Each structure stands twice: as C-alpha cells, then as structure tokens.
Amino acid sequence: MMQWLYKLGSPRHFYEMTTGFLPWLAGATFLLLGIGLVWGLGFAPPDYQMGDNFRIIYIHVPTATGAIWIYAMMAAMAAMHLVWNLKVADMVAKSCGIVGTSFCAIALFTGAFWGKPTWGTYWIWDAKLTSFLILLFVYIGVMALRSAFDSETSASKAASVLTLVGVVNLPIIYYAAVWWNTLHQGPSVLGDRDASANPPEIWIPAFFSGFGLIGLLFLIVILHTRNEILYRERRAQWVQELLTREPIHA
Amino acid sequence: MHPARQQRVMIVASILVGSALAIGLLLYAFNEGLNVFFTPTEIAEGKVRPEQNIRIGGMVKVGSLRKEGLEGTRIEFVATDTNKDIPVVYTGVLPDLFREGQGVVAEGRLDADGVFQASTILAKHDENYMSAEVKAALEAAKARQAGNGLPPAAEGVSP
C-alpha cells in the first residue's frame, strides 16, 4: 500500500498508471451520468409542489456537494505537498481547483434558477448561500495567488497555505442551515421517517447523476494532472521519449 | 519521522487550528446576527424595535390565510413557530410555493400594533421531495388514521 502510494507520488508513475485506467473511468462516468440525467430530467415523477422545477436538484445537489468535497481533496493534497514536498500532490491540487471552481459556479447558478420559482428570489444573503459564495471566492483566490508568482515553487507553497486556511469554510457551509436559520433547506435525509419523503424513484436517479458527476470530477482532475505532468516534466527524458514515440495527431 | 518533516506537519496543523480558531471566534461574536430571520418567539421577547426593517420566518398557520382586494392581492396570514404567532399583512404577488402549513420568510417591519407589514414574501422549502402520488397516498393514510381516532403521524416540518 505504502509502496503503491509512493509510486503514485512520482509524476512518471502517476502518468503511466492512469493511462490504462482512463478509458474505464470515462466509460463508467458517461454511463452513470447518462442514466442519471435522462432518468432524473425525463422520467422521475415531478414533485407535488414544485412540479418539474425540482429536477434541477439532480444537478444542483451533486455539483454543490462535489464542490465541497473537491475542496477537501485539494486541501489534503496541499498538506501532502507542504509536508512531503510531493510534486504530484501539488499538480492534483491545481487540477482540483479548476474543477472545483466550475462545480461551485454551476451549483450557484442552478441554485439561483431553482430559487426564483421556489422561494421567490434568485438570491438571499443567508448563511448557507453566503458561505458557499465565499467558497467560490476562495477557489478563485487560490488560482489567482498561484498565477501571481513567477517561481513554481513559491506559487505552489503559497497556494497550498491559502487552501489550508480555506478549509475552515467547509463545515460552515455544511452546517449553516443547522447552526443558523437560513432560507436554504438543510440536507435531505434518505430512508428516514417511514420513507414517505424522498422515495426511491426520486433519489435513485440522484444517486446515478451524483456518481456520474463524481466520475466526471475525477476524470477531469486526472486528465488535467496528466497535462500538468507533461508540461512540468517536459525536460525529463521519459516525456521526450513518450512524445517522440507516440504519433501526435493535430 | 524526519525532524524537518515533523516541523512541517506542525506548521500545517497550526495553519488549520489557527484559522479555525479565528473564524470560530468571529462566528461566535456574530452569533445570532447571522440568522437570516427572526422567529415569532424572538419578536415576542422584544428583540426587535418597531419600524425596524427585518425578516421574520415561520410557518403559515393553517386556516389563517385570507385574501382580499382586487384578485386577492392583499393577503393576511399568521406566521407561527408553534410557540408564538405574529399576524402578517402583505400586498403583492406571492411565490408559487406559498401556502398554509408551509415555511415562509417575510421582509418588512413591525408596526405599532404588532402587525408585521411585509414588503416581500419568500417561500421556504423543506428538505423533502415527493411525487404527487406519494403525497396523495400520505394524505389518505393520515385521513384514515384520523378517522380511527389515532393521532396523525408527526410530520417533520423544519422551522
């Protein structure tokens, strides 16, 4: 296990080990996402109050949850980079930042368009929405800080430290609706209360779209990390060999 | 562990603890200021001055909704948190989800008579989603139970 992790920490091994794994991940991702979205957006029964508007949760909930968890992953990578000086960890963290920002933005937009017909407003400055908006700003801040340095070493150190500071926001987002009163509802509970609310025909498509989006997240993170590896290791012999051996299609 | 690494672990840990402590104290200082609305109980406790612009939140009391005026655009209802009630008056368009027994957040001010003059009404949705069939079956089951003289199942309504 330790050796496997150690190997994954080397850019070259990360690149080689993900090569064979990628098509499987991509296949599973698009299958899950396809089933989840077609089922959720097309066939799941409309909610008794919100009608078809509620279908937006099949995108909103996984992207919002995803944005929080990618941040946690980015922070774990940042800590590993700071402690063990792992280059790959920093590259994964950089990739996480890009996907996380997009997920965050998607969650905010879908939430706003759900909020207008449901609540009667696109936006309210409640604790849940505000802390989530701060998450987007932290994501953008980490990216901006990273690109503000000329030296790659200083850039990744600074970005890692800021990432760790931002971790404190995660429990605040998650528990905002519990700690304070907010317009945003709390997290849904499945299989609770004699199963009358959130029945299987509503949450099973969410399960598919959720795992599909998690797959998509990992797919983009891995693809971006591979590009980052090729770029940062461009002077290494194995990259040179790889690029000359494989025909490049324009 | 290598001493240099150990030191770096300490740095990472202190960043986490330090920022958590700073933000935690900040949130503790803000405390109730971060709530997006006042509950009827808090208003009864006198936490709000009359004519102050605030939001109140609660449930639209069942049986309290009255529509008046042209096309029923002037509405009156009672917002409740099951402990205290507060009468609300509003003129304007309501969100689709506004109905009796549902959560509501109203923006406006409390007048001298203790009536909340709302300028905006927002509907609060809970964390439960169901299809129309499930809802109908649930209502039917509740009606049957009520007919048998049994207490209806407690429905979890988030305040």
Side-chain angles (χ1 to χ4, degrees):
Chain A
M1 177 71 185
M2 277 318 282
Q3 199 170 12
W4 187 78
L5 275 180
Y6 186 77
K7 269 192 161 178
L8 214 55
S10 124
R12 182 179 177 176
H13 278 107
F14 184 97
Y15 191 91
E16 283 167 357
M17 283 161 83
T18 51
T19 305
F21 171 63
L22 268 178
W24 295 99
L25 180 61
T29 295
F30 290 113
L31 194 67
L32 286 169
L33 208 53
I35 294 173
L37 292 184
V38 170
W39 190 351
L41 302 182
F43 296 102
D47 181 74
Y48 76 104
Q49 293 190 86
M50 288 183 280
D52 286 330
N53 282 336
F54 104 98
R55 294 183 196 284
I56 216 156
I57 64 162
Y58 291 118
I59 310 221
H60 176 75
V61 175
T63 46
T65 318
I68 296 172
W69 284 106
I70 309 165
Y71 196 94
M73 192 160 99
M74 180 162 97
M77 291 298 146
M80 277 163 72
H81 173 68
L82 284 180
V83 175
W84 288 283
N85 224 341
L86 273 178
K87 276 197 242 165
V88 171
D90 180 54
M91 296 186 222
V92 174
K94 186 178 175 185
S95 313
C96 286
I98 293 163
V99 190
T101 312
S102 337
F103 270 46
C104 223
I106 294 171
L108 282 168
F109 274 106
T110 51
F113 286 107
W114 179 83
K116 186 64 185 173
T118 312
W119 296 336
T121 183
Y122 288 110
W123 185 261
I124 186 168
W125 293 100
D126 79 358
K128 185 98 175 175
L129 273 64
T130 309
S131 56
F132 200 80
L133 184 67
I134 291 172
L135 179 70
L136 179 71
F137 291 159
V138 172
Y139 267 127
I140 294 173
V142 170
M143 287 205 291
L145 187 64
R146 191 185 280 280
S147 55
F149 288 86
D150 284 332
S151 139
E152 211 153 65
T153 338
S154 329
S156 51
K157 273 224 179 83
S160 300
V161 171
L162 184 60
T163 304
L164 288 178
V165 172
V167 169
V168 77
N169 195 18
L170 301 185
I172 298 176
I173 298 172
Y174 196 80
Y175 290 109
V178 181
W179 291 343
W180 302 285
N181 60 46
T182 56
L183 187 60
H184 195 287
Q185 60 270 38
S188 293
V189 183
L190 298 180
D192 193 28
R193 241 185 276 133
D194 59 306
S196 56
N198 306 320
E201 65 265 29
I202 280 180
W203 67 257
I204 291 176
F207 179 86
F208 276 102
S209 72
F211 276 91
L213 279 166
I214 291 171
L216 186 66
L217 177 169
F218 275 100
L219 191 66
I220 302 173
V221 166
I222 291 174
L223 283 172
H224 188 270
T225 306
R226 284 162 61 88
N227 286 350
E228 194 73 21
I229 288 173
L230 289 185
Y231 179 73
R232 290 201 201 173
E233 303 280 304
R234 62 191 179 279
R235 283 187 246 293
Q237 206 193 341
W238 71 272
V239 175
Q240 305 266 340
E241 275 172 15
L242 189 83
L243 294 180
T244 45
R245 194 177 60 220
E246 279 181 11
I248 297 166
H249 303 286
Chain B
M1 208 188 268
H2 196 275
R5 236 170 258 161
Q6 214 160 13
Q7 201 189 351
R8 288 199 292 254
V9 171
M10 289 311 293
I11 293 171
V12 168
S14 54
I15 292 172
L16 286 174
V17 172
S19 52
L21 213 63
I23 302 293
L25 284 172
L26 206 64
L27 295 182
Y28 182 74
F30 279 129
N31 195 15
E32 288 178 6
L34 290 175
N35 285 334
V36 83
F37 55 77
F38 289 95
T39 62
T41 305
E42 285 169 338
I43 289 170
E45 285 166 358
K47 287 193 175 172
V48 187
R49 293 191 315 273
E51 305 301 323
Q52 188 184 354
N53 249 314
I54 53 158
R55 286 196 203 93
I56 61 160
M59 219 171 69
V60 182
K61 198 171 191 175
V62 177
S64 75
L65 183 61
R66 276 217 312 278
K67 295 191 175 184
E68 293 165 8
L70 196 64
E71 292 170 0
T73 49
R74 187 190 139 80
I75 65 148
E76 288 177 27
F77 63 90
V78 173
T80 178
D81 58 2
T82 67
N83 181 24
K84 292 277 192 243
D85 293 353
I86 183 161
V88 181
V89 185
Y90 171 71
T91 306
V93 185
L94 291 168
D96 292 349
L97 251 72
F98 179 87
R99 59 196 73 180
E100 289 185 347
Q102 284 284 340
V104 67
V105 172
E107 271 176 56
R109 56 194 176 74
L110 206 59
D111 68 12
D113 304 327
V115 176
F116 193 78
Q117 304 284 343
S119 54
T120 309
I121 294 277
L122 303 174
K124 185 165 162 38
H125 191 265
D126 65 12
E127 61 273 26
N128 297 318
Y129 312 90
M130 331 177 196
S131 63
E133 294 87 46
V134 172
K135 182 65 185 171
L138 204 67
E139 296 287 322
K142 229 188 252 172
R144 256 202 318 280
Q145 258 181 340
N148 292 342
L150 293 167
E155 198 175 8
V157 180
S158 58

